[in-house]
Amino acid sequence: DNCGWTGHECDVLAVTKDLRIIDVEVKISRSDLKADAKKDKWWHRSFGSYAGIDPATSRSKYVTPAPVARAHPPKIWKHYYALPESIWKPELLDCLPSTSSGVLLLREPRFSGDPQVIIQCVRRATPAKDTYRLTPPQVMDIARLANLRMWEAYHRRDQVQQQGGAA
């Protein structure tokens, strides 16, 4: 949950059995979904290069190339958006930063006693073919971070319960 291991923020970072990363971005509104396309993880930016002396100002001139859109964020094998079914409209597919991203819609169960959230896959994520597999030390690092976050979550839950609130 809320992990930055890849170099960019992930709401949910999952590691598959074959040691690849799936990034799930959780969105709570249409504007939140649309704003995601501006995040740095979707753009490859190059540094400027020296272009000589500007004759008008006698100063060094640099050329900065325009950013290039990425199909997948760095280190990510598959990317999904997860959002409430109630805010989804099919035309939102055009707002996504990549056609490789999948879309998962979530809704509450019909019966209040059923704890399962219902997930509908609107579009499957296209895998990044050139993504490397994690090394055992990288997997251990992710597992260590997940373990620490779990203990932090238990601590927060215990604090809420001691204050008389619900977890």
Side-chain angles (χ1 to χ4, degrees):
D1 186 19
N2 293 320
C3 179
W5 190 90
T6 63
H8 298 279
E9 182 266 334
C10 301
D11 291 331
V12 178
L13 182 140
V15 178
T16 65
K17 288 180 184 180
D18 63 349
L19 306 181
R20 295 181 184 177
I21 297 175
I22 298 174
D23 173 7
V24 181
E25 283 289 326
V26 178
K27 299 299 172 186
I28 59 172
S29 69
R30 290 182 191 119
S31 60
D32 187 20
L33 179 68
K34 291 175 183 178
D36 198 71
K38 296 176 185 169
K39 287 185 177 179
D40 281 343
K41 70 180 178 180
W42 291 111
W43 298 97
H44 176 73
R45 301 184 198 289
S46 298
F47 292 106
S49 59
Y50 180 69
I53 303 293
D54 183 351
T57 63
S58 298
R59 292 186 169 185
S60 296
K61 189 166 80 172
Y62 293 89
V63 176
T64 304
V68 178
R70 289 182 167 138
H72 296 86
K75 300 183 184 177
I76 302 299
W77 180 56
K78 287 185 179 180
H79 180 270
Y80 280 94
Y81 288 101
L83 57 150
E85 182 182 55
S86 60
I87 66 169
W88 179 251
K89 292 182 178 183
E91 55 268 22
L92 288 171
L93 283 172
D94 297 333
C95 300
L96 301 182
S98 173
T99 57
S100 298
S101 294
V103 177
L104 304 172
L105 303 183
L106 293 80
R107 68 178 147 95
E108 297 289 329
R110 293 182 186 199
F111 305 105
S112 61
D114 188 358
Q116 299 287 329
V117 172
I118 298 163
I119 302 173
Q120 174 192 355
C121 183
V122 172
R123 181 169 76 186
R124 296 184 71 81
T126 304
K129 294 180 177 154
D130 59 347
T131 300
Y132 68 94
R133 291 192 173 140
L134 297 171
T135 64
Q138 290 172 325
V139 173
M140 290 303 295
D141 187 42
I142 292 170
R144 180 184 60 80
L145 292 171
N147 189 14
L148 291 172
R149 287 180 184 261
M150 193 69 219
W151 285 110
E152 291 171 4
Y154 285 146
H155 180 70
R156 285 192 306 272
R157 179 204 59 195
D158 293 346
Q159 286 179 325
V160 168
Q161 287 177 345
Q162 288 173 356
Q163 295 171 357

